[in-house]
Amino acid sequence: MFGNPAANVSKETSSVRQNQNGSQNQNCHESSSDLNYQLQCGGPTFYARANDVIELNDEDSKDITDAERARTSPAAAAIVPLRRWVALQENASMIPHAKRRSYQLGLQRAAILRKITLSYAIGELLQHLKFSVSSYSQAELLRLFSVDNFSVHVSTDQTSDEGWEVMGVDMISPPLCVQLTSNLFSISDFFESAVDGEDWGRNVEAVIARHSPFCCAKSVTEDETRDGRFLCFSLGVLLHFLFSGENRLDESVKAGTCQHESAEDAHRVDFILEQSRRPKSARIQSQHIRSVSSADNGHDLMNVNSTFRPLHCFGYTHAVSQVVKNLLDCESVGGLFCPDDAYPSLEAAIKDLRLLLREPNIFLFKSNDVLVIPAKGKFYGRSLEVSALTDAFCRVASSGQSEAYIIGGFSGSGKTRLVESAFNSVLAADGMLVYGKFNETSNSQLSVVLSALDDLCIMIADRNTPEQSQYIWQRLVSEFGNNFHLLVRTLPNVLRLASSLSSTLSRDGDILSQDPVSLGLVHTILSDRKGASCLFFVGNYRDNEVLPQHIIFGFYDWLKAFNVRITTIHIDGMPEDDVNSMISNALGVLPRVCRSLSRVVFRKTDGNPFFVQTFLRSLIESSHLKYDLRRKCWTWDIDSIYAENITPNVLDLISTKMTNLSQDVQTALKVASCFGTKINISVARDLSDTPQYLGLLSGLNKAVEDNFMDPVPDGSYRFVHDKVREAAYGLICCDCKDQYHFDIGTTLLFYYESQIGSTSGDLVAVIDQINHGVPSLVRSQSQRISIARLNFTAGSKAMQCYDYISAYTHAKAAILLLPSDSWRMHYDLSLGLYFQLAKSAYPSNKIDEAIEALNKIVKHADCVETRLNGYTLLHSILFNTCASNDTEQLLVTIVNVLKSLGEDIPADDVARRDVATQVRLAKRNFERESDDALLQMHKNSSKPNVAIMQAYNILVNLSFIAKPRLYQYFVARWAQFCLKSNVACKYVAGAYVAFAVVLCKDVSGTDARLGYRIGKLGLKMLHEDDTATSELPSVYLLYFGFVAVLFEPLQACIDMHRRAYKMGLQIGIASIAAWHKHFLIIREIHSGTNLLCIKDEIEHDLKMAKHHSMPHLVMKLSFYYETVLTLIGDESASSTLQLDREGSERPTFDRESTFLFCRIVTSTYFGYFERVKSMAKKWEFSIDAHSRMLNLRVAYISFYYGLSLVSLRRRKRSKNVPEKVIMMLEVLKTAADRSEWNFKNKVSLLKAEKLSCCLDNSAAEAEYDIAIAAAKSSKFIHEEGLACELAGMHYKRLKNNEKAVALFNRAERCYKYWGSQKKSFQMAEKAKQISLLK
């Protein structure tokens, strides 16, 4: 393709071979000898790099490394005359090779690169030549720039066509030398590579050796423009010969005389040289010049290029031909009438030659007749953003901490391409990529995230060994327990998992379409505190399309609240220079040549990359930008582009192009746009089998050819950009869009029912299309019921994946299709749909709709079991909203239900008197049975008994809020019925654990251990019952909230609360989840979790609680938030709490006691013991039956109250401690008997304070040591600090300052680790004061 015809060089080759012993050989030896002489002579050396020249004197030359000298030394190279070098290159490129075609093509491309390299070297040499045209005669000028005045340095292996490499170039007279340094490629590797896929760009530098007064260190000045243009012209003549083998001017130089092929050429050359020697003012005018033209042949002396054939005629690309042409243009009649594209200086020409070397794939090898934007592997104007994104991924990969990276920008600004730029870094780090594109037309947004995670499971599975698979399987089963089947249902490919998560890039497309549930799932993964995952989440969104209240900004706050690093950037359009580079590379045109076109495009598009592509294609379609087959280049008319009213609106451009497509392609685009940004191959194939859409697949393939869509590896089709999809969707008439969707859906539905006998195809795709026409387009009653059933099925699948928003959408659409008598005619369908609506509306924060749906269920239910199911969900909603009046009314209703089922429920006053009796009876029943007997007795699953168990479950939960004094009575009755009936159902575990809570209220500890035993049995039953998953949050709340916390380490209970909290949110029991969050936060405070982490967590939870309308949780969290801020030392605590209180005025059963408890905690740590005493007394009066069951809180109050009483007595200098301290100590000892981990340190610290007050110093010091050690062992860092502080005060009173300072310093470290800046400062000040006293 790039080789020259043999005829073009046969004459030159013959001449070279016949005169090897003649003048040219002599020139070669002369050149070699001159060069050797130059090397022996001293003198400065010039290193030319890009556009600058650095002169090195003898001292500076010493700094050049030996390796650099060796690389530039001609000793390792052979010297060949330029004429002979050209002939040998042409012969080598035309030798037939037995090797494969790619090898031959490699030879041709290597030859092109050598010629461009040599061209650059000659240009550098001429640029540094001290030269004046007026100093030479015509014959001398022609001889000076004769081909025979130059020789080439090549690698020593001249005989191998694979070994030629240009090392430099010499000018014989005057003697000048240029040596080249470059990242030289391996020629053999070059040939063996896949020639169409490699990057052969190279950076070349020229080293100019000055050995005569003819070398100049500077480029030609502005005053020497005449000489500079002649040098450009001379370089053009040399390069034309170099590439074509023709030298129309130089062939006439023989023995010092000028002989030309024709009188015309002689006249032309003489005229040019004559004009070049004249000063500019003396040059003849253009009228006279034109009159010199030959009247016979019509040639114009202004067009010197008519003497030289364009290089594209020899098979070279337009870029090469353009460089040489513009060099030759420089002496069009002595430079008077140079075209605009003519080079202004050698420096500009050298810049273009360097560009050809750096980008040979674009300018030397590529056929540019097809517009490709952007060029392969190119990303324009985003170097800083790419670097920042890559750095962020490297941080994730190295630190193992998840991070989020959010990219905002206008549509078409290159957000997706920016993300893709990081893919190679992810793969190099052995990471995994998952991708999800959120579809604004779909109602199922959560499924996109789940689908991406499901794909990740496959990637992980494929990377692991069987041993790793076994390990990860065990971890998953251990982590999820009985809920593992839910994980499998949500992510089916989890069964293939065989590795833990590694550094992962999750690129979720335009996240504007995400719903809160989807973003919440991403947030949960990113903020995983256990460090089980390492995720790099990258999201794109159009920041010009969002309002300040958009969910994306809440997503930022959620991540920041959990200390997840998040980076946000905005990208605009490209600068004009980058637009010029993009167009230059796409057209294969030099940047300086297409500058005028780029300027127009930039003004029309503001540099938006996608708009640039679309606008250029519109210019092609309107013939303003055309490919010239004769000249092998793209051409345009700037004036016509300016004059033409071409809209810059990208949608209009795309739409205009689409309207000119065939009907099949338009139909394919419209159908695909109805499915969002992507249409699955299964759907496309099924539609193409129907008569209405027979040409769909062929239309989609044609759309790919027209650059509207891209094929996806799985065979599907995706729009190349959102704007293309928007334009395609705009082809559908606005009033017809719903009908168009509906027709697609019904066509698919009919196909599935007729061809495969079911709707087992892509059900979600079908029903999403049909629902656009619900209910107005569905006219027949049978069709309405059929579509309603399909919606119910789709909603059920969404519920299984906890995609409540999609389930709600399907349920609403289905209910709109039901007839007025649906409860009579279609009872089962109506019941299922209303339950689906209630269950999906509740977690979607549509409380009123959920309650309305449940009331209809209760009203129309035909059996008590169905009504109880409705009551169960209704009480959960009322429990969450703290609607006390409705709760009491529902409690009365449930009591009546139980009475109707045969249970004798007495009046409230009778029940209160009978509480102790009922508890005692239930306790005896449990004591009589062994553990095995209790586990095996529940085998009766009769419906009436199960209904009674369900009713008791509702009644107990309602009484916890509405009638707390009857709570123990109802629990005892529930437990007795459970044992008496031997009932087997999912509510048995709840009955066991609820009764365990009642027994654990016993402060003495006798009943508490029985309660712990019963509670563990209930927990075991829960884990063994696969049908009881929905009861897990409720049972965990009772067991870990009131039972296990008295016997098991506090930190273990925290982990279970967190697990149940997440499970409660997943299955839609927000009220129970809220209670777990309440226990989780207060126990994190008790266990010494870092206060700053708790603060961030509460801030996030407060926003979530307000968003989901949970006033009870808002109130609790507000108290805890004030407590944490106070302990940290934040003075804004009280004002923040006041704001939260104002929004949480609904009364709750333990509001006052919670507030007092929080104040007692903070007052104790800051030494306000009078306040602790006062609030502890108030707390005793405020607690009700519920608070008395919270033995953990009772124990903590006893601890703080006891410390305050001792401290107050010490201030009075009394050695006798109050009797109440002894009582508090007994409470703590009882608690410590159950759990040393939680209470041993508290017992010892209170004992130590008591002994210190009584001046029993040695015993006190021993107890202080025990308290410090026990707190450290239990990882209660805050209580370790408190013990050290109080012990330090004890030693300070004894004047043991050294011991006191050591303890205060240790307390400072503990408080600092805890996150209490105020306490840490206090301890440092105390230690400092004692040190000053020394």
Side-chain angles (χ1 to χ4, degrees):
M1 182 170 66
F2 297 100
N4 295 338
N8 295 335
V9 296
S10 59
K11 182 177 179 180
E12 299 293 341
T13 305
S14 175
S15 175
V16 170
R17 291 174 177 171
Q18 291 173 4
N19 294 284
Q20 287 184 348
N21 297 322
S23 61
Q24 294 186 38
N25 198 30
Q26 181 180 351
N27 288 338
C28 178
H29 290 297
E30 181 182 342
S31 172
S32 179
S33 62
D34 287 345
L35 180 60
N36 292 332
Y37 170 77
Q38 295 161 12
L39 292 174
Q40 292 170 6
C41 298
T45 301
F46 292 88
Y47 278 75
R49 180 174 301 177
N51 299 322
D52 60 286
V53 179
I54 306 172
E55 181 176 355
L56 303 177
N57 54 31
D58 291 339
E59 285 188 21
D60 295 330
S61 298
K62 296 177 182 178
D63 297 331
I64 303 175
T65 64
D66 293 339
E68 197 166 27
R69 291 183 187 278
R71 191 170 66 248
T72 61
S73 173
I79 302 175
V80 180
L82 177 58
R83 189 184 299 275
R84 180 169 181 266
W85 186 88
V86 172
L88 291 174
Q89 287 292 306
E90 300 303 338
N91 285 343
S93 65
M94 292 187 296
I95 295 174
H97 288 267
K99 299 183 181 180
R100 63 180 183 272
R101 180 183 176 277
S102 63
Y103 187 89
Q104 179 69 31
L105 185 57
L107 282 176
Q108 294 175 353
R109 294 189 171 184
I112 293 291
L113 278 177
R114 292 192 194 104
K115 290 179 181 180
I116 296 296
T117 305
L118 181 58
S119 301
Y120 164 73
I122 296 174
E124 286 283 4
L125 188 147
L126 295 183
Q127 188 182 20
H128 298 87
L129 175 68
K130 183 181 288 185
F131 172 76
S132 174
V133 174
S134 60
S135 303
Y136 294 87
S137 67
Q138 295 181 15
E140 288 172 334
L141 286 174
L142 289 173
R143 189 181 301 111
L144 178 66
F145 297 107
S146 168
V147 173
D148 296 323
N149 198 32
F150 294 87
S151 58
V152 185
H153 292 248
V154 298
S155 57
T156 54
D157 186 8
Q158 303 176 48
T159 59
S160 170
D161 47 57
E162 299 179 2
W164 283 62
E165 182 58 55
V166 177
M167 311 294 288
V169 65
D170 289 350
M171 192 173 192
I172 300 171
S173 177
L176 290 176
C177 176
V178 171
Q179 295 297 321
L180 298 179
T181 63
S182 100
N183 55 331
L184 302 179
F185 51 75
S186 171
I187 300 295
S188 59
D189 292 343
F190 181 86
F191 294 135
E192 294 300 328
S193 64
V195 294
D196 290 328
E198 298 294 333
D199 180 11
W200 298 305
R202 54 203 314 221
N203 292 312
V204 181
E205 298 174 5
V207 181
I208 313 298
R210 186 177 74 176
H211 301 293
S212 78
F214 292 95
C215 186
C216 176
K218 297 180 180 180
S219 301
V220 180
T221 64
E222 194 65 33
D223 296 334
E224 299 167 322
T225 303
R226 174 185 57 183
D227 301 331
R229 288 192 180 278
F230 189 80
L231 285 175
C232 287
F233 170 73
S234 302
L235 177 60
V237 173
L238 289 169
L239 297 193
H240 191 274
F241 167 73
L242 178 61
F243 287 99
S244 70
E246 297 180 350
N247 196 337
R248 305 287 298 279
L249 300 181
D250 192 52
E251 289 174 0
S252 61
V253 182
K254 303 275 185 161
T257 62
C258 292
Q259 298 178 9
H260 302 285
E261 290 185 356
S262 66
E264 176 194 344
D265 288 342
H267 178 64
R268 190 185 308 281
V269 174
D270 290 343
F271 187 84
I272 291 171
L273 296 176
E274 177 64 24
Q275 289 299 312
S276 298
R277 286 196 296 272
R278 291 186 179 187
K280 187 173 183 179
S281 60
R283 294 181 183 179
I284 61 177
Q285 300 302 313
S286 61
Q287 298 92 323
H288 177 70
I289 294 171
R290 290 190 176 91
S291 68
V292 182
S293 302
S294 172
D296 296 333
N297 53 27
H299 288 310
D300 190 347
L301 286 175
M302 294 177 63
N303 186 8
V304 178
N305 272 308
S306 64
T307 307
F308 302 90
R309 283 201 294 167
L311 291 184
H312 66 259
C313 297
F314 297 89
Y316 294 101
T317 60
H318 174 263
V320 178
S321 181
Q322 186 79 24
V323 169
V324 176
K325 176 184 179 298
N326 293 158
L327 285 169
L328 294 173
D329 283 341
C330 290
E331 276 304 316
S332 293
V333 192
L336 276 178
F337 299 98
C338 293
D340 293 337
D341 290 342
Y343 282 107
S345 65
L346 271 177
E347 183 178 356
I350 291 172
K351 181 180 179 181
D352 281 349
L353 289 170
R354 288 176 67 91
L355 177 63
L356 299 186
L357 287 173
R358 287 197 306 270
E359 303 286 356
N361 289 30
I362 294 173
F363 297 106
L364 300 181
F365 304 149
K366 189 179 80 169
S367 176
N368 296 301
D369 55 340
V370 178
L371 188 70
V372 180
I373 305 178
K376 183 178 180 181
K378 288 288 183 179
F379 192 44
Y380 302 92
R382 300 286 183 251
S383 56
L384 294 178
E385 291 85 352
V386 170
S387 176
L389 181 59
T390 304
D391 290 345
F393 171 75
C394 292
R395 280 196 306 270
V396 174
S398 59
S399 67
Q401 296 182 351
S402 296
E403 188 169 331
Y405 202 95
I406 309 299
I407 304 170
F410 285 23
S411 176
S413 58
K415 302 182 293 296
T416 299
R417 286 291 306 277
L418 176 57
V419 175
E420 291 172 350
S421 68
F423 282 8
N424 289 336
S425 299
V426 177
L427 298 175
D430 199 30
M432 283 161 282
L433 296 164
V434 291
Y435 171 88
K437 183 71 174 179
F438 286 91
N439 187 353
E440 61 193 44
T441 66
S442 173
N443 295 318
S444 181
Q445 302 298 345
L446 181 61
S447 61
V448 178
V449 179
L450 296 178
S451 177
L453 295 176
D454 205 30
D455 292 341
L456 180 60
C457 296
I458 299 176
M459 297 180 193
I460 297 173
D462 292 341
R463 293 194 180 192
N464 291 277
T465 63
E467 292 76 15
Q468 291 172 321
S469 299
Q470 181 65 25
Y471 170 73
I472 206 59
W473 181 270
Q474 292 173 352
R475 286 194 59 185
L476 286 171
V477 172
S478 174
E479 181 70 22
F480 286 89
N482 284 352
N483 298 317
F484 186 75
H485 72 283
L486 297 177
L487 176 66
V488 174
R489 185 195 304 169
T490 307
L491 304 177
N493 288 322
V494 77
L495 297 174
R496 298 179 55 182
L497 272 178
S499 174
S500 58
L501 291 177
S502 63
S503 299
T504 306
L505 176 72
S506 176
R507 180 166 76 86
D508 291 294
D510 191 345
I511 56 178
L512 286 181
S513 304
Q514 282 204 52
D515 58 279
V517 178
S518 302
L519 289 176
L521 176 58
V522 175
H523 163 262
T524 300
I525 299 172
L526 287 171
S527 59
D528 182 14
R529 290 170 176 257
K530 293 184 179 181
S533 64
C534 173
L535 183 77
F536 185 37
F537 173 81
V538 184
N540 302 338
Y541 77 105
R542 303 172 191 169
D543 52 8
N544 62 309
E545 299 179 9
V546 297
L547 297 175
Q549 62 269 26
H550 194 275
I551 186 63
I552 184 66
F553 300 111
F555 180 60
Y556 295 168
D557 295 337
W558 298 344
L559 294 178
K560 292 175 182 176
F562 280 80
N563 295 323
V564 176
R565 182 166 184 169
I566 180 171
T567 303
T568 59
I569 65 170
H570 171 82
I571 57 176
D572 289 309
M574 301 179 294
E576 185 174 341
D577 286 343
D578 291 307
V579 173
N580 189 48
S581 297
M582 174 187 281
I583 295 176
S584 168
N585 291 353
L587 303 180
V589 177
L590 294 170
R592 63 182 180 83
V593 176
C594 64
R595 175 67 66 179
S596 60
L597 176 62
S598 301
R599 189 174 294 114
V600 176
V601 174
F602 178 76
R603 290 177 181 176
K604 290 283 189 178
T605 64
D606 289 331
N608 185 292
F610 179 69
F611 295 178
V612 169
Q613 298 180 48
T614 305
F615 188 74
L616 283 178
R617 291 193 175 99
S618 72
L619 292 179
I620 295 174
E621 292 160 11
S622 59
S623 298
H624 290 91
L625 178 62
K626 317 184 263 195
Y627 187 77
D628 189 330
L629 290 174
R630 184 180 63 83
R631 297 170 56 192
K632 297 183 179 178
C633 66
W634 289 91
T635 60
W636 57 89
D637 186 343
I638 289 296
D639 294 335
S640 66
I641 294 176
Y642 270 117
E644 189 75 17
N645 185 22
I646 302 176
T647 175
N649 187 302
V650 68
L651 271 180
D652 291 343
L653 293 174
I654 300 172
S655 298
T656 301
K657 181 177 179 180
M658 286 181 176
T659 54
N660 295 325
L661 298 173
S662 66
Q663 192 62 40
D664 282 349
V665 180
Q666 288 192 45
T667 300
L669 290 172
K670 289 190 286 187
V671 170
S673 69
C674 290
F675 290 92
T677 57
K678 174 185 174 183
I679 180 171
N680 291 329
I681 184 60
S682 59
V683 174
R685 189 180 294 115
D686 293 340
L687 277 173
S688 65
D689 288 339
T690 64
Q692 297 91 325
Y693 304 99
L694 281 176
L696 181 62
L697 281 178
S698 61
L700 290 172
N701 292 327
K702 187 62 171 63
V704 171
E705 296 175 8
D706 292 337
N707 296 311
F708 291 118
M709 304 196 78
D710 283 333
V712 182
D714 64 1
S716 303
Y717 298 86
R718 178 184 291 121
F719 283 99
V720 296
H721 196 272
D722 291 343
K723 285 295 181 184
V724 177
R725 184 259 162 195
E726 190 176 343
Y729 196 60
L731 295 176
I732 308 172
C733 174
C734 292
D735 296 335
C736 303
K737 283 185 167 62
D738 288 343
Q739 183 69 57
Y740 206 88
H741 282 281
F742 185 76
D743 290 344
I744 293 173
T746 53
T747 300
L748 277 173
L749 178 60
F750 178 78
Y751 172 80
Y752 291 142
E753 291 178 343
S754 61
Q755 297 296 321
I756 57 181
S758 69
T759 57
S760 59
D762 195 336
L763 175 62
V764 175
V766 172
I767 204 62
D768 281 348
Q769 298 298 314
I770 291 177
N771 282 345
H772 280 79
V774 170
S776 59
L777 299 178
V778 189
R779 295 177 176 83
S780 70
Q781 189 61 47
S782 60
Q783 189 181 35
R784 282 173 170 261
I785 298 301
S786 176
I787 294 175
R789 293 186 188 280
L790 287 176
N791 270 290
F792 176 70
T793 304
S796 300
K797 290 184 177 181
M799 291 289 291
Q800 291 177 358
C801 297
Y802 309 117
D803 188 356
Y804 297 113
I805 293 180
S806 298
Y808 169 80
T809 303
H810 290 303
K812 286 286 289 184
I815 289 175
L816 290 175
L817 295 171
L818 294 178
S820 57
D821 59 348
S822 63
W823 285 101
R824 181 173 60 85
M825 301 298 297
H826 307 283
Y827 175 82
D828 291 338
L829 177 60
S830 300
L831 182 64
L833 284 172
Y834 276 99
F835 261 122
Q836 189 177 101
L837 178 62
K839 291 178 181 179
S840 59
Y842 172 40
S844 301
N845 200 29
K846 302 180 187 303
I847 307 298
D848 293 338
E849 288 189 55
I851 293 176
E852 182 181 356
L854 290 171
N855 287 332
K856 288 187 177 181
I857 291 173
V858 172
K859 177 181 178 181
H860 294 285
D862 60 356
C863 64
V864 66
E865 290 84 359
T866 301
R867 288 198 295 274
L868 284 173
N869 289 335
Y871 290 140
T872 300
L873 187 53
L874 183 59
H875 105 266
S876 179
I877 296 174
L878 297 176
F879 189 83
N880 178 44
T881 57
C882 298
S884 56
N885 294 333
D886 294 336
T887 302
E888 291 180 6
Q889 182 179 353
L890 182 58
L891 187 146
V892 173
T893 301
I894 298 300
V895 169
N896 293 331
V897 170
L898 280 170
K899 289 180 179 179
S900 68
L901 292 172
E903 286 293 294
D904 182 20
I905 306 296
D908 291 353
D909 55 344
V910 176
R912 289 193 194 97
R913 293 193 298 268
D914 200 28
V915 169
T917 302
Q918 296 298 328
V919 170
R920 186 167 56 254
L921 290 173
K923 186 174 71 171
R924 289 177 182 174
N925 291 336
F926 278 105
E927 288 174 336
R928 284 198 299 264
E929 304 291 343
S930 65
D931 291 354
D932 290 340
L934 290 172
L935 291 173
Q936 296 175 11
M937 70 165 50
H938 298 285
K939 298 179 180 180
N940 182 3
S941 56
S942 65
K943 286 187 177 182
N945 288 340
V946 173
I948 293 173
M949 289 290 292
Q950 185 178 4
Y952 267 121
N953 181 51
I954 300 172
L955 181 62
V956 166
N957 289 327
L958 290 171
S959 65
F960 193 80
I961 297 176
K963 296 182 179 181
R965 296 187 182 278
L966 293 178
Y967 177 79
Q968 297 181 52
Y969 176 84
F970 291 136
V971 169
R973 289 289 302 271
W974 188 18
Q976 291 179 55
F977 178 82
C978 181
L979 295 179
K980 180 177 65 175
S981 64
N982 297 330
V983 63
C985 65
K986 63 181 181 180
Y987 304 108
V988 172
Y992 273 56
V993 175
F995 189 67
V997 172
V998 172
L999 294 179
C1000 284
K1001 77 178 183 61
D1002 177 34
V1003 178
S1004 66
T1006 304
D1007 292 342
R1009 293 201 176 275
L1010 175 61
Y1012 184 45
R1013 172 204 163 202
I1014 296 172
K1016 287 196 294 184
L1017 290 173
L1019 201 64
K1020 187 174 182 180
M1021 292 177 183
L1022 176 73
H1023 292 159
E1024 292 177 352
D1025 187 356
D1026 293 337
T1027 66
T1029 303
S1030 60
E1031 299 301 306
L1032 185 144
S1034 301
V1035 175
Y1036 269 34
L1037 177 64
L1038 294 173
Y1039 181 77
F1040 292 104
F1042 304 102
V1043 179
V1045 73
L1046 302 177
F1047 297 90
E1048 301 173 11
L1050 204 57
Q1051 293 88 341
C1053 295
I1054 290 173
D1055 290 340
M1056 293 298 102
H1057 281 305
R1058 180 171 286 110
R1059 177 184 175 186
Y1061 168 71
K1062 294 179 180 178
M1063 176 63 72
L1065 291 179
Q1066 288 173 359
I1067 64 177
I1069 312 178
S1071 56
I1072 301 300
W1075 272 97
H1076 280 290
K1077 177 57 68 174
H1078 151 63
F1079 282 123
L1080 176 63
I1081 296 296
I1082 190 58
R1083 276 153 199 184
E1084 284 184 331
I1085 297 174
H1086 287 329
S1087 65
T1089 302
N1090 184 269
L1091 294 171
L1092 297 175
C1093 293
I1094 300 176
K1095 171 180 172 288
D1096 292 341
E1097 185 175 356
I1098 295 176
E1099 288 175 348
H1100 166 256
D1101 293 330
L1102 271 171
K1103 293 176 182 177
M1104 291 290 292
K1106 291 176 181 177
H1107 177 74
H1108 291 287
S1109 303
M1110 300 179 179
H1112 173 68
L1113 183 60
V1114 170
M1115 180 271 295
K1116 293 274 189 179
L1117 292 177
S1118 299
F1119 290 145
Y1120 299 147
Y1121 190 60
E1122 179 197 31
T1123 302
V1124 171
L1125 288 178
T1126 303
L1127 291 171
I1128 292 174
D1130 192 334
E1131 299 300 328
S1132 65
S1134 59
S1135 61
T1136 303
L1137 178 60
Q1138 184 63 35
L1139 290 173
D1140 286 330
R1141 280 183 179 178
E1142 291 175 359
S1144 308
E1145 287 299 328
R1146 289 188 182 183
T1148 54
F1149 67 88
D1150 63 344
R1151 185 176 189 277
E1152 187 66 22
S1153 65
T1154 301
F1155 173 74
L1156 290 172
F1157 179 76
C1158 291
R1159 286 299 177 89
I1160 289 171
V1161 173
T1162 55
S1163 299
T1164 299
Y1165 276 95
F1166 291 110
Y1168 305 137
F1169 293 116
E1170 287 284 1
R1171 190 180 300 172
V1172 173
K1173 179 180 177 182
S1174 173
M1175 286 187 291
K1177 289 181 178 180
K1178 289 182 181 179
W1179 183 82
E1180 287 182 317
F1181 288 108
S1182 69
I1183 57 177
D1184 53 19
H1186 287 297
S1187 297
R1188 296 181 195 280
M1189 291 192 298
L1190 306 182
N1191 274 351
L1192 182 68
R1193 184 175 290 186
V1194 172
Y1196 272 96
I1197 291 293
S1198 300
F1199 175 56
Y1200 298 135
Y1201 193 12
L1203 290 178
S1204 67
L1205 291 176
V1206 173
S1207 295
L1208 292 173
R1209 183 55 60 94
R1210 184 185 293 116
R1211 290 178 185 177
K1212 296 179 180 179
R1213 300 183 182 279
S1214 173
K1215 298 181 181 180
N1216 298 321
V1217 296
E1219 287 295 325
K1220 203 142 197 170
V1221 174
I1222 307 300
M1223 294 172 56
M1224 301 294 123
L1225 196 55
E1226 290 301 319
V1227 172
L1228 287 174
K1229 287 180 179 179
T1230 302
D1233 288 340
R1234 301 171 184 166
S1235 176
E1236 281 194 0
W1237 179 281
N1238 293 337
F1239 297 105
K1240 180 179 178 180
N1241 67 302
K1242 300 173 182 61
V1243 172
S1244 295
L1245 185 56
L1246 184 56
K1247 286 174 63 176
E1249 283 288 277
K1250 171 179 170 294
L1251 293 171
S1252 176
C1253 183
C1254 297
L1255 301 181
D1256 191 350
N1257 295 327
S1258 59
E1261 290 164 9
E1263 291 296 336
Y1264 279 127
D1265 291 341
I1266 294 173
I1268 294 171
K1272 182 179 180 180
S1273 176
S1274 298
K1275 298 179 175 57
F1276 297 152
I1277 190 68
H1278 60 315
E1279 291 178 354
E1280 181 185 350
L1282 180 63
C1284 291
E1285 178 184 359
L1286 295 178
M1289 297 297 296
H1290 167 80
Y1291 284 105
K1292 180 183 177 182
R1293 289 191 294 270
L1294 298 179
K1295 308 299 183 184
N1296 189 343
N1297 292 337
E1298 182 177 355
K1299 186 72 171 177
V1301 169
L1303 286 166
F1304 285 142
N1305 286 335
R1306 182 172 177 179
E1308 177 195 0
R1309 292 192 297 271
C1310 291
Y1311 286 137
K1312 185 175 182 180
Y1313 185 85
W1314 185 32
S1316 178
Q1317 302 167 4
K1318 189 173 182 179
K1319 286 297 296 181
S1320 178
F1321 177 77
Q1322 286 180 356
M1323 296 302 100
E1325 286 296 311
K1326 287 185 178 182
K1328 183 178 179 181
Q1329 290 173 3
I1330 297 176
S1331 299
L1332 291 175
L1333 291 176
K1334 292 182 181 179

